[in-house]
Amino acid sequence: MTLTGNGEHTARPRRQPRTGRPRRLAATLIGLTLAGGLLLTGCGASDNNGSSTDGSNKSGGRGFPQPAPNRTSGTSQGEQKDTPTGDASREFAPSPDYLSTFALDVDTASYGYARRALADGRLPEASTVRPEEFVNSFRQDYRRPDGNGFSVTVDGARTREEDWSLVRVGLATRDTTQSGKRPPAALTFVIDISGSMGEPGRLDLAKDALGVMTDRLRDDDSVAVVTFSDEARTVLPMTRVGHHRDRIYDAIRGLEPTESTNLGAGVRTGYATAVKGLREGATNRVVLISDALANTGETDADAILENISTARREHGITLFGVGVGSEYGDALMERLADKGDGHTTYVSTIDEARKVFCEQLPQNIDLTARDAKAQVAFDPETVKQFRLIGYDDRQVADEDFRNDRVDGGEIGPGHTVTALYAVRTRPGASGHLATASVRWLDPDTRAPHEESGQLETGSLDEDLWTSSTRLQVDAVAAYFADDLRTGDDKATPLPGALPLGELADRAHRVASAAEDKAVDDLADAVERASGLRG
C-alpha cells in the first residue's frame, strides 16, 4: 500500500496468505461484492459480551462483513506446508478488505530475549522482534469466563494523530484457581546439555527451576527426562511422580554440560519417549529447554519440524519451548513451538525460570482450547484503514476461520491474548466499528465453540494517554516493539508513535500508575534502547 498526497491509499499487489499457520504476513483481499454477500443481520446487541456457540454470529447496528461461513468437511483444505509469502507486516490493509484473521499466540520469548539483549548493552536484531509477544508479556484485567473457552473484550482509544485510534481485542481463559482438578500431566523434558549450556543463566537455571517444579507436581503426574549434546539419550523414561520424586531429582541433579548441540536428535528422541509414555486422558507435552543453537547432526529446520508435526497429528502431543542464553536461536525455537502446537518463553534469571515452571505451571501444561483463531470484522461505513500490530506469522486465510482442519493456537488456563490494531476511522463517522470473534475446539471433545464482542466508535476513549492503565501499557509495548523493528529504515511507524526518549518518559509514568514491577522493567528497557539508539 502507498499513501498519496491527499492521505488516501492505493493498494499494491499483495500475496495470498496460506491456510494453516503461515510463517510470514500477507493479507487476503476480499472483494466488495463478496463482502456484500457476507453482511450480518442485526440483533440489537450493543455490549462487549455478545456471543455465539452454534456457528452463528450476532451483532448490532447495520450490516458489515461477518466471519467466514462454515465449511463442510468436503471442502476443507486441511493444514498446508509452510510457504514463504514475503513480509507485508508494515502495510495497512487497503479497503475493501475489512476482515482480519489470525491464530492465537501466547508466546513471550521475543520480549524476554529483547530485554536480555538490552541488558547486555545491545539492541535486539529487528528480525527477533515480534510485537504481539511484547504486548502479551503483561498482565491484563479482562473479564474471565467460568468454563473452558474465552471471554472477549473489545475497547480502544484515539491517538493524537487525526482519525487514528488503537483498538484492542482482549481474549481471556478461565483463571487457574477456577479450573478445579486439572487432568494429570505427562511431561517429557528435553534438555540441552551441550557445551554452550554451561554459560551462567542456562543449564543452571533449568536445574534449579525443574527441581522446584518437581515439588509442585501431583502424584498422578508423570515425568520423563531426555538430554542431548552431540547425541541424545533418555535419562529417565516416563515415570509416575508418586513415590519416585527422588528418581526425578537425581536425574535433574546429574545434568552436566558437554560437547555440541544435536538439537535434531534431542527432538527426535524426546518425541519418541513421549509417544512411548503416552497417557490417555492426560495432557501429553514435550518441554524443550535449549538455546536452540543447532550445530551437529540434523540442523535443517524443516526436517526437525516434520518429526514434531507427525507426533502432533497422530498423538496430540504439544510442545512448550523455553529459551535460554545470551546467544539464542529465536527463529528455530519459535518455529518448533508453532509446528508443535505450543508456545515459547525466554528466561534469563532464576526468578523468571521459577515463575515459568512453578507459578505458571498450570497454564503452561494444561489446555482449555485447541486450534483457537480470531477474526475481526471492521465496519466499512466507519473504518477506512487498519493494521494488525504483529501476528505476522500467525495469519490465516479469512475463509478458513471456521475451517477446523486449519491449525490454530493451543491455549491453557490463566492465559490472556491481546491483539492491537491501528484503525483509521472515516472523518465524522459514528456507530458500529468492529466485531471480534474467537473460535476454538474443546480440548477433549473437539467440539467447536465461538464467542464474540463488539465496539462502537462512541466507546473509544478520547485520548490514549488518559485511557485505562492496562491499555496504556499495551500501547507502550506495541510502540516500543514497532520502533525496534523499524530501526533506521523508513518504514511507516504506527500512528501516534512517540520518539523513544518520549516513549521512555511515558512508560515511566504508566509504570508508576500500574504499580507493577513488570511495567517498571518495560520502562527501563525503553530507556536503555533510547540510550543505545542515541
Side-chain angles (χ1 to χ4, degrees):
M1 180 215 83
T2 57
L3 295 179
T4 62
N6 63 3
E8 297 292 336
H9 68 265
T10 57
R12 67 189 184 207
R14 306 178 78 180
R15 297 179 178 89
Q16 294 292 326
R18 73 178 184 90
T19 57
R21 181 178 288 166
R23 305 304 312 170
R24 308 293 293 170
L25 176 66
T28 304
L29 294 180
I30 306 297
L32 278 174
T33 56
L34 175 59
L38 297 177
L39 295 182
L40 288 177
T41 57
C43 68
S46 60
D47 59 22
N48 285 350
N49 299 322
S51 66
S52 171
T53 58
D54 60 0
S56 63
N57 187 32
K58 302 175 177 66
S59 73
R62 56 185 173 271
F64 62 97
Q66 71 168 7
N70 276 317
R71 283 189 171 195
T72 64
S73 58
T75 59
S76 294
Q77 299 301 306
E79 183 178 281
Q80 305 295 311
K81 296 184 185 239
D82 291 340
T83 304
T85 58
D87 187 357
S89 63
R90 303 195 62 78
E91 295 179 7
F92 289 89
S95 57
D97 181 8
Y98 291 97
L99 291 174
S100 171
T101 311
F102 58 94
L104 301 197
D105 180 16
V106 293
D107 292 356
T108 60
S110 176
Y111 174 66
Y113 188 45
R115 285 186 56 216
R116 172 65 182 262
L118 291 166
D120 290 344
R122 56 188 172 85
L123 291 168
E125 291 290 330
S127 62
T128 69
V129 176
R130 294 181 291 277
E132 73 278 11
E133 297 186 22
F134 279 54
V135 173
N136 282 316
S137 294
F138 299 95
R139 178 174 60 82
Q140 301 292 349
D141 54 6
Y142 305 137
R143 177 184 63 83
R144 292 187 181 274
D146 294 329
N148 282 349
F150 298 87
S151 64
V152 181
T153 301
V154 192
D155 60 7
R158 301 184 187 277
T159 73
R160 294 176 183 178
E161 188 165 335
E162 187 175 7
D163 295 330
W164 283 98
S165 300
L166 284 188
V167 169
R168 179 174 65 165
V169 176
L171 310 174
T173 58
R174 58 173 162 76
D175 192 85
T176 54
T177 61
Q178 301 172 344
S179 60
K181 187 176 180 180
R182 64 169 171 81
L187 307 176
T188 301
F189 289 95
V190 180
I191 304 171
D192 187 346
I193 58 168
S194 61
S196 61
M197 291 291 288
E199 172 193 306
R202 299 193 186 197
L203 188 56
D204 56 334
L205 294 188
K207 291 172 66 173
D208 177 88
L210 291 177
V212 176
M213 182 211 67
T214 301
D215 294 331
R216 305 285 185 91
L217 291 174
R218 299 192 319 228
D219 287 348
D220 62 343
D221 292 328
S222 299
V223 170
V225 177
V226 172
T227 62
F228 66 94
S229 54
D230 58 327
E231 58 184 24
R233 72 186 185 96
T234 301
V235 175
L236 181 73
M238 192 64 72
T239 301
R240 195 70 63 97
V241 174
H243 301 296
H244 301 289
R245 292 182 195 271
D246 287 343
R247 288 185 63 194
I248 300 171
Y249 292 135
D250 289 343
I252 294 169
R253 280 195 294 264
L255 301 177
E256 296 293 339
T258 175
E259 302 185 29
S260 53
T261 309
N262 192 337
L263 181 62
V267 169
R268 185 169 56 253
T269 303
Y271 270 87
T273 301
V275 169
K276 187 174 182 180
L278 195 74
R279 289 180 58 185
E280 293 294 330
T283 301
N284 294 274
R285 176 158 289 196
V286 169
V287 182
L288 174 62
I289 305 171
S290 176
D291 57 18
L293 299 174
N295 54 28
T296 301
E298 184 60 76
T299 59
D300 178 70
D302 290 333
I304 298 173
L305 291 167
E306 182 55 34
N307 219 307
I308 287 178
S309 181
T310 300
R312 175 188 65 78
R313 288 194 304 266
E314 295 182 3
H315 304 290
I317 298 171
T318 57
L319 177 69
F320 177 39
V322 182
V324 295
S326 57
E327 297 297 325
Y328 168 55
D330 168 79
L332 178 56
M333 184 68 90
E334 193 213 4
R335 290 187 67 193
L336 289 170
D338 285 354
K339 199 73 170 182
D341 275 357
H343 63 286
T344 65
T345 191
Y346 177 89
V347 298
S348 60
T349 68
I350 286 179
D351 286 345
E352 290 173 352
R354 288 190 174 187
K355 181 178 181 180
V356 166
F357 287 109
C358 302
E359 296 175 33
Q360 298 175 343
L361 185 65
Q363 68 193 70
N364 287 326
I365 66 173
D366 199 4
L367 283 179
T368 60
R370 285 187 179 271
D371 288 323
K373 311 182 193 83
Q375 185 168 84
V376 182
F378 290 96
D379 192 324
E381 293 192 28
T382 55
V383 174
K384 190 171 187 179
Q385 290 173 288
F386 68 90
R387 168 179 155 193
L388 174 59
I389 302 172
Y391 292 92
D392 302 351
D393 55 1
R394 295 293 196 277
Q395 297 297 301
V396 173
D398 295 331
E399 62 270 23
D400 282 330
F401 175 62
R402 290 197 175 110
N403 181 350
D404 294 327
R405 293 180 59 190
V406 170
D407 198 18
E410 275 56 45
I411 312 295
H415 277 300
T416 60
V417 180
T418 300
L420 289 179
Y421 288 85
V423 177
R424 185 183 183 188
T425 52
R426 298 186 183 279
S430 64
H432 182 269
L433 192 147
T435 291
S437 300
V438 58
R439 182 179 177 88
W440 72 95
L441 304 182
D442 182 276
D444 297 321
T445 66
R446 302 298 179 110
H449 300 274
E450 288 185 23
E451 192 80 20
S452 296
Q454 302 173 43
L455 180 66
E456 302 285 316
T457 58
S459 297
L460 292 170
D461 289 331
E462 287 302 315
D463 185 348
L464 174 63
W465 300 119
T466 60
S467 65
S468 71
T469 299
R470 286 293 154 189
L471 178 55
Q472 291 187 60
V473 171
D474 295 340
V476 169
Y479 283 134
F480 181 35
D482 195 65
D483 189 284
L484 292 176
R485 282 207 304 181
T486 303
D488 294 325
D489 69 25
K490 302 304 181 186
T492 306
L494 284 174
L498 302 172
L500 271 185
E502 293 182 33
L503 187 63
D505 292 340
R506 178 65 62 182
H508 281 295
R509 289 198 289 273
V510 174
S512 178
E515 297 182 343
D516 183 343
K517 185 181 182 304
V519 186
D520 287 328
D521 292 339
L522 171 63
D524 290 341
V526 178
E527 190 167 12
R528 285 194 195 97
S530 178
L532 290 169
R533 186 67 59 76

